[in-house]
Amino acid sequence: MSYAFYNTLHIVGIMLVFMSLGATVLHAANGGTREHNPSRKLVAALHGIGLLVIVVAGFGMLAKNGGMNAGLPGYIHPKLLIWLLLGAAPVLIARKPGLAKAMWLIIPLLGATAAFFGINHS
């Protein structure tokens, strides 16, 4: 598969993750709980699928560029940490709904940081 295909998949995964995090944060910010969220399973599934697609497509792009010949490049480590944090975000939001409003700022900043490392890695 081509680099462009992996790049497109990577972006689709990012959209799924941020869409599901936005839904989770909005629900919590409006006083909703896990038990009173009829779309919780769908949102959680899309979040997990998005994270999986991001990782698989990201490593596909690395392989296409020959970036894994001598191990993982240094910029991948902070990106993996950021995606790990974004993967844990729904649990934090569910357990601490008071943080939901702060997450409106934290989540995009994490995404922007991951984008910075991905774009400026050379």
Side-chain angles (χ1 to χ4, degrees):
M1 295 190 202
S2 69
Y3 182 87
F5 176 77
Y6 284 121
N7 194 16
T8 302
L9 267 182
H10 196 68
I11 292 169
V12 168
I14 291 167
M15 288 188 290
L16 287 174
V17 168
F18 281 93
M19 181 179 67
S20 63
L21 286 174
T24 303
V25 169
L26 182 63
H27 181 72
N30 286 330
T33 63
R34 288 178 57 168
E35 295 78 25
H36 296 102
N37 186 355
S39 301
R40 181 175 62 92
K41 289 182 181 180
L42 174 64
V43 171
L46 290 176
H47 183 256
I49 290 167
L51 287 170
L52 179 65
V53 168
I54 289 168
V55 171
V56 170
F59 279 108
M61 287 190 296
L62 267 178
K64 283 292 178 188
N65 271 352
M68 294 189 351
N69 294 336
L72 288 178
Y75 73 94
I76 296 299
H77 298 103
K79 285 182 63 99
L80 288 172
L81 175 63
I82 290 167
W83 292 115
L84 181 69
L85 293 172
L86 290 173
V91 174
L92 180 63
I93 295 165
R95 292 190 181 176
K96 304 273 187 191
L99 292 176
K101 290 182 181 172
M103 295 299 259
W104 278 117
L105 296 174
I106 294 168
I107 290 171
L109 286 175
L110 286 171
T113 304
F116 175 83
F117 281 112
I119 293 168
N120 300 301
H121 61 271
S122 42

